[in-house]
Amino acid sequence: MFFQSNVIRVVQITDPHLGKIPGDTLLGVDTDQSLRDVLGQLPKSEMVVASGDLSNDGSPESYRRFADTLAEHQINNWSCLPGNHDDLDVMKRVLGPAVINPVQVMGSWLLLHLNSRVPGFEHGDLSDNELTFLDKTLARHSGMNAMVFLHHQPVPVGSAWLDQYVVRSSDRFFETLDKHNNVRAVAWGHVHQDFQAVRNGVKLFGSPSTCAQFKPNNDEFAVDTAMPGYRLFELHKDGSLNTQVNRVSQRDYQIDLASNGY
């Protein structure tokens, strides 16, 4: 069995891209329907982390519908952080304390949420304040296992069109992580695909979107035929973790492979 006792289960969902109106689509995918399909498959967990681009247009309606959809699926313990498509001020006004709750203590684990959004731009970056917060928090909780969530990828994922949006301050980000021996993993969204790597013992994860997927290892924009999904983490007391990506079953999403509407 993948599930074991005495572990903390954290689900990452990312990039729902909900529109202002129910039934709005992204690349031919009804993003409301695909979010419901994904949420309907989630296992029981201690926390759901939504890692950005909850909305495709920053509208209050999209954030209200996101929260309502989680409530409909009886998901009460959740947090979120902004992506490049989000409006952070609107997110905070509509979603309140769920937005960038930066430190969450869960047993022997510390979950850190960072804001990599750069208003008006697609690429990611981490401000001096974010990096200082990261450094001080890791030092203050040096006896705990730490996992960091952000929206943008801090490393290239192998697609030139996506990797132009990599976190600009990634060198400083990793310099900060390298100062601390309690960092176990970093996870992000934005790339709409499964990605895994290891750097200096820290596991790195990109996760699939709850809507359309981008084709891996493609230098030009391309949509994949993979289904919407989520990533499940099992966090163990000793600092080890298990993870897997799960996807919804095949259905008629009518993905428009010719569209460039991202």
Side-chain angles (χ1 to χ4, degrees):
M1 289 289 292
F2 181 72
F3 293 106
Q4 304 175 31
S5 60
N6 300 318
V7 298
I8 297 167
R9 298 181 182 91
V10 175
V11 168
Q12 180 192 9
I13 60 173
T14 194
D15 296 81
H17 286 274
L18 298 186
K20 182 177 182 178
I21 301 171
D24 276 353
T25 62
L26 178 73
L27 302 172
V29 176
D30 180 332
T31 57
D32 288 274
Q33 182 63 54
S34 62
L35 177 61
R36 289 193 296 269
D37 289 341
V38 170
L39 296 182
Q41 302 228 351
L42 297 191
K44 291 183 178 180
S45 65
E46 282 69 37
M47 178 61 64
V48 172
V49 177
S51 55
D53 282 357
L54 280 59
S55 173
N56 198 47
D57 56 14
S59 61
E61 294 85 352
S62 60
Y63 295 120
R64 292 191 193 100
R65 214 161 61 254
F66 177 80
D68 290 345
T69 304
L70 265 62
E72 290 168 6
H73 287 81
Q74 300 182 328
I75 298 171
N76 300 313
N77 295 325
W78 61 277
S79 60
C80 61
L81 51 87
N84 48 288
H85 283 265
D86 288 310
D87 185 313
L88 183 54
D89 291 334
V90 177
M91 282 182 73
K92 289 179 177 179
R93 186 170 71 246
V94 175
L95 300 178
V99 182
I100 313 185
N101 186 1
V103 181
Q104 296 168 326
V105 176
M106 306 187 70
S108 64
W109 281 80
L110 190 73
L111 306 185
L112 301 179
H113 292 31
L114 300 180
N115 178 9
S116 63
R117 174 178 175 267
V118 181
F121 294 90
E122 298 291 322
H123 69 263
D125 202 2
L126 294 168
S127 68
D128 291 344
N129 287 341
E130 289 291 291
L131 292 170
T132 298
F133 157 77
L134 176 64
D135 188 25
K136 290 184 175 180
T137 305
L138 290 173
R140 188 180 307 120
H141 299 277
S142 59
M144 301 187 70
N145 304 302
M147 184 172 185
V148 179
F149 288 93
L150 68 166
H151 179 69
H152 294 83
Q153 71 269 36
V155 296
V157 298
S159 295
W161 78 272
L162 270 174
D163 289 332
Q164 65 182 311
Y165 305 131
V166 72
V167 173
R168 295 290 194 264
S169 55
S170 59
D171 287 347
R172 295 177 62 203
F173 171 66
F174 284 116
E175 286 173 4
T176 301
L177 296 189
D178 289 344
K179 293 167 58 178
H180 305 275
N181 60 11
N182 58 330
V183 182
R184 309 300 177 216
V186 178
W188 60 86
H190 191 63
V191 296
H192 290 231
Q193 62 189 253
D194 178 15
F195 174 87
Q196 300 189 41
V198 179
R199 179 193 175 279
N200 287 357
V202 176
K203 296 181 178 180
L204 308 177
F205 301 103
S207 296
S209 167
T210 65
C211 63
Q213 311 301 303
F214 299 150
K215 192 171 184 178
N217 302 311
N218 228 70
D219 284 342
E220 302 295 329
F221 175 88
V223 180
D224 200 3
T225 56
M227 290 295 100
Y230 65 92
R231 182 179 290 283
L232 172 64
F233 294 100
E234 285 192 333
L235 310 179
H236 299 263
K237 290 182 179 180
D238 63 0
S240 63
L241 63 85
N242 303 106
T243 186
Q244 67 181 38
V245 164
N246 295 319
R247 299 181 186 272
V248 301
S249 58
Q250 182 76 39
R251 54 172 292 132
D252 294 329
Y253 279 107
Q254 300 299 320
I255 296 174
D256 181 3
L257 297 180
S259 174
N260 62 355
Y262 178 66

